[in-house]
Amino acid sequence: MFKFVADEVWAFDSEWVPDAASGRALYDLPKDMPERDVFQHMWEQAGASEEQPQPFLKLVQCRVVSIALVRRFTAYDGTISVELRSRPKDPDDPASRDEAAIITGFLDSVGKRKPQLVGYNSQGSDLPILCQRGVVLGIRAAEYCQRPEKPWLGKDYFARGSEWNIDLMYTVGSGGAGRASLREIASLSGIPAKLDGFDGSDTPKAWLDGDVAGIVRYNEQDALTTYLVWLRIAHFGGHFTREEYEVEQDRLRTMLERRAAGPDGDHIARYLEEWARLSRSSG
């Protein structure tokens, strides 16, 4: 169990697809080979089968296409606010979709704000892919990478067991056969997960079809699910009373209602509807 809730918490999630440029370089494929064919070749090299047509690829061979987060922060006057953020900010803008820009924007913001990061399998996937791809792309993330000489002297995103890099998967169990997936622990807790029949295995197809906006929408929903699971675990761990836990959920709900009423808010409205339905069922 994590020891405290920081004044600034980012519950985040990232999405990635096979990186065609890496596939062409690693397997000496023609430069003009279509991206779809490169993806297929990379999966075949990783042992694709009829049962598992898209096997896991090493993170370094993949391209980060979206990062989403729920930010909970305490202002100087003690007011607590929450907001939903995502990159690329404009999925239709090629410059905004640039992988280096997505990773740099996120890591630079983490380095400056120094939030308590919260993810689900983030220590095994989300943070390692950002570091590996950052190295490959020649990104500089000095502030994010700063480490104190001793654990109690500052914030450290690399130390094992760090309170600034909380992986909820390990908070509630382990990485072995008994581990709960985010979908399992969310669904059984009355929290929406994997709406619209979309999951991570659909991300490559959406990318190849040019539906980056769809990936961002899915990514935002996963970040919301991660945040709600974090709230529930924080309540379990004694960081919130029952009344405070209800207030925290209401705070998020109010923010999402505003987002749902705005442009491109349909996926947020669906998330709210599913959350309400699950809450009624579990109540």
Side-chain angles (χ1 to χ4, degrees):
M1 177 55 61
F2 45 90
K3 297 176 182 177
F4 64 89
V5 171
D7 286 341
E8 182 150 353
V9 175
W10 290 12
F12 79 106
D13 180 68
S14 56
E15 295 298 325
W16 55 85
V17 299
D19 179 45
S22 296
R24 294 185 183 103
L26 287 170
Y27 300 112
D28 195 25
L29 302 175
K31 291 184 178 181
D32 59 351
M33 188 174 188
E35 193 173 32
R36 190 179 303 271
D37 295 340
V38 176
F39 282 20
Q40 187 59 46
H41 185 87
M42 294 174 75
W43 285 323
E44 288 172 358
Q45 293 300 309
S49 64
E50 188 173 337
E51 296 76 22
Q52 192 177 20
Q54 297 181 20
F56 178 81
L57 297 180
K58 289 184 178 180
L59 298 173
V60 74
Q61 299 181 29
C62 298
R63 170 182 179 144
V64 176
V65 295
S66 178
I67 303 175
L69 63 96
V70 177
R71 179 189 179 216
R72 178 189 186 271
F73 59 101
T74 305
Y76 293 113
D77 63 359
T79 303
I80 298 174
S81 301
V82 290
E83 58 186 23
L84 177 64
R85 294 182 172 185
S86 58
R87 295 177 184 274
K89 294 180 179 180
D90 181 1
D92 296 325
D93 177 17
S96 184
R97 294 197 303 266
D98 178 71
E99 183 187 16
I102 292 171
I103 296 174
T104 299
F106 178 76
L107 294 183
D108 280 357
S109 294
V110 172
K112 289 180 174 65
R113 302 291 308 182
K114 297 293 185 184
Q116 188 177 38
L117 292 178
V118 174
Y120 207 94
N121 196 26
S122 52
Q123 291 183 22
S125 58
D126 297 277
L127 290 178
I129 194 173
L130 297 181
C131 288
Q132 291 180 24
R133 293 300 295 177
V135 169
V136 167
L137 296 168
I139 290 169
R140 186 175 188 272
E143 289 182 287
Y144 168 73
C145 292
Q146 285 177 351
R147 303 189 66 185
E149 291 191 16
K150 300 183 185 302
W152 57 86
L153 294 179
K155 301 175 181 180
D156 192 338
Y157 295 113
F158 293 87
R160 184 180 297 274
S162 170
E163 289 296 307
W164 298 97
N165 173 12
I166 295 172
D167 189 332
L168 297 176
M169 187 180 78
Y170 291 98
T171 300
V172 296
S174 68
R179 82 174 180 93
S181 69
L182 178 62
R183 179 178 185 177
E184 288 169 334
I185 197 165
S187 298
L188 297 177
S189 301
I191 297 170
K194 311 300 181 187
L195 275 67
D196 304 326
F198 194 109
D199 64 26
S201 65
D202 297 309
T203 303
K205 181 180 185 304
W207 172 263
L208 291 169
D209 291 344
D211 187 16
V212 180
I215 296 173
V216 173
R217 289 192 295 269
Y218 164 70
N219 196 188
E220 288 183 342
Q221 291 176 337
D222 256 11
L224 289 168
T225 298
T226 302
Y227 183 76
L228 283 171
V229 168
W230 170 77
L231 281 180
R232 198 168 183 91
I233 294 172
H235 169 252
F236 170 79
H239 298 294
F240 299 127
T241 65
R242 184 67 197 183
E243 292 74 20
E244 289 169 336
Y245 177 47
E246 294 294 340
V247 169
E248 293 290 340
Q249 292 179 93
D250 287 342
R251 182 179 290 122
L252 179 68
R253 189 177 290 110
T254 299
M255 182 272 288
L256 293 180
E257 288 170 350
R258 291 196 301 269
R259 284 288 301 267
D264 302 320
D266 288 352
H267 66 298
I268 301 298
R270 290 195 298 276
Y271 193 93
L272 281 167
E273 290 170 3
E274 181 64 4
W275 187 10
R277 186 188 70 80
L278 291 172
S279 297
R280 289 193 298 270
S281 299
S282 61

